[in-house]
Amino acid sequence: MTINAKLSTFAGLPIVAWDSDETPADPASVAWRLELEEFDADAAEFERAFEELLKRTGEGGPVALVVGEWGEAYERSFPVDLLVRNAARLGRLRSLFAAELTYEQCEISWIKQTDLTPLLEAFPQLEALWVRGAEGLVLGPLRHEGLRELVLQSGGLPVEVVRAVGASDFPRLSRLELWLGVDNYGGDARADDLAPILAGRALPALTSLGLRNAEIADEVAAALASAPVVARLAELDLSMGALSDAGGEALLAGQPLTHLKSLDLSHHFLSEELAQRLVEELPGVRVDVSDRQQEEEWGRYTAVAE
């Protein structure tokens, strides 16, 4: 699987390009995509596009912003500095997607990220942060009282980032989604590194947890079988990973999951028999066991890597 399509909505709003002929009557009623067509555009071109966007969105800037190609995303890191420098002009910003690039623009594991800690510090009003790519990604432990949704999409999420999330204080965070990825692309976290998250201490408002695209899906499932956080979740998502019968058996043998509204295991390596057991033994839960994969001679694989 590759990421080959751009979002049409973000933060519950339709997405409009910054240079579109369409001009919404209310600039706050849409999410704005800021993106250059030329992959080799320089930083000055992107900054000019940013200024044009601010003219269109008016005082306070966009409510929701999706940043795509900023120019040589495989060489030049996500332009955090531009956003931080203009934080006072972006007072309405509540939702940000940092680097919504398809594989045709840049493979997910080639996207150059950077330290996002200053971004969260500069935008205390931010409620949703989505990030694609983990090359160079840094996140220092911090407190952020506004953040409700954190999504980190990667082919390999560094253990330091996973630990930083668990060490952070996000009192209102209700949704967390981590694409753990594979070791070959930097995804070196193990289930033990998720311990503060799974213990439920770090994120007291969490109700939706996604530990997706994980090479270590069986290990994660075994940890979840007795994780205190599970009891207060409504949604649990282990999709896109290398989950096998070992992980599925751990889920069934562990703590009750019947309180969940949904359990997403799509893109998996479960046997047909065990997949059916999961559906039958969790009545009332929307269990997704679609997209069954066949193990190759080199082993199991995640949906997204390079």
Side-chain angles (χ1 to χ4, degrees):
M1 172 184 167
T2 53
I3 300 175
N4 56 14
K6 297 178 183 178
L7 294 176
S8 58
T9 64
F10 178 59
L13 301 173
I15 295 176
V16 173
W18 70 276
D19 57 352
S20 170
D21 293 335
E22 178 184 351
T23 304
D26 179 7
S29 66
V30 301
W32 293 85
R33 177 180 276 118
L34 180 60
E35 178 174 64
L36 300 178
E37 291 186 8
E38 301 79 14
F39 76 93
D40 57 350
D42 60 26
E45 289 178 78
F46 186 76
E47 189 153 356
R48 284 194 292 271
F50 175 76
E51 291 296 331
E52 287 299 319
L53 170 66
L54 290 186
K55 289 180 184 177
R56 294 195 68 181
T57 55
E59 185 176 356
V63 169
L65 177 62
V66 177
V67 180
E69 177 63 77
W70 58 88
E72 298 184 332
Y74 57 90
E75 288 189 355
R76 199 165 68 241
S77 61
F78 180 78
V80 164
D81 58 334
L82 177 62
L83 298 179
V84 170
R85 287 199 321 268
N86 289 278
R89 304 168 70 193
L90 294 166
R92 288 195 301 188
L93 187 64
R94 296 294 181 272
S95 302
L96 172 66
F97 194 148
E100 196 225 6
L101 297 161
T102 67
Y103 82 97
E104 292 179 332
Q105 295 172 301
C106 189
E107 295 281 6
I108 193 169
S109 293
W110 298 3
I111 298 171
K112 295 292 184 185
Q113 281 293 349
T114 186
D115 187 352
L116 297 182
T117 312
L119 181 72
L120 286 168
E121 292 172 338
F123 293 93
Q125 78 279 12
L126 200 65
E127 296 177 0
L129 175 61
W130 289 33
V131 180
R132 183 169 293 168
E135 176 69 27
L137 181 63
V138 174
L139 182 66
L142 77 160
R143 178 177 174 82
H144 194 289
E145 297 188 7
L147 202 63
R148 290 168 166 78
E149 187 173 324
L150 178 62
V151 176
L152 303 180
Q153 301 178 345
S154 78
L157 195 61
V159 64
E160 294 83 6
V161 176
V162 174
R163 290 173 179 168
V165 172
S168 292
D169 187 1
F170 299 139
R172 296 185 180 179
L173 194 78
S174 60
R175 178 187 178 193
L176 175 65
E177 183 178 311
L178 305 177
W179 292 20
L180 298 173
V182 303
D183 187 62
N184 281 348
Y185 286 97
D188 53 350
R190 310 301 304 188
D192 287 348
D193 299 304
L194 296 163
I197 298 170
L198 300 186
R201 297 188 303 269
L203 307 170
L206 195 68
T207 58
S208 178
L209 176 61
L211 299 171
R212 308 180 69 195
N213 200 48
E215 188 175 45
I216 60 166
D218 284 347
E219 187 178 323
V220 170
L224 284 165
S226 59
V229 73
V230 172
R232 54 181 168 81
L233 295 179
E235 300 174 346
L236 180 59
D237 188 344
L238 302 180
S239 65
M240 301 171 59
L243 188 73
S244 74
D245 279 5
E249 291 281 9
L251 291 174
L252 287 172
Q255 63 186 302
L257 300 176
T258 51
H259 66 286
L260 293 173
K261 290 183 179 178
S262 65
L263 174 64
D264 192 345
L265 306 177
S266 57
H267 185 283
H268 61 85
F269 293 83
L270 299 167
S271 64
E272 292 183 6
E273 294 76 15
L274 190 54
Q276 186 61 32
R277 277 186 60 202
L278 281 158
V279 172
E280 292 175 352
E281 294 186 25
L282 296 174
V285 182
R286 295 192 306 273
V287 181
D288 188 346
V289 287
S290 62
D291 198 17
R292 182 171 178 265
Q293 304 294 308
Q294 294 292 334
E295 185 169 352
E296 302 290 346
E297 56 187 54
W298 61 84
R300 290 174 281 130
Y301 48 88
T302 61
V304 175
E306 184 178 14

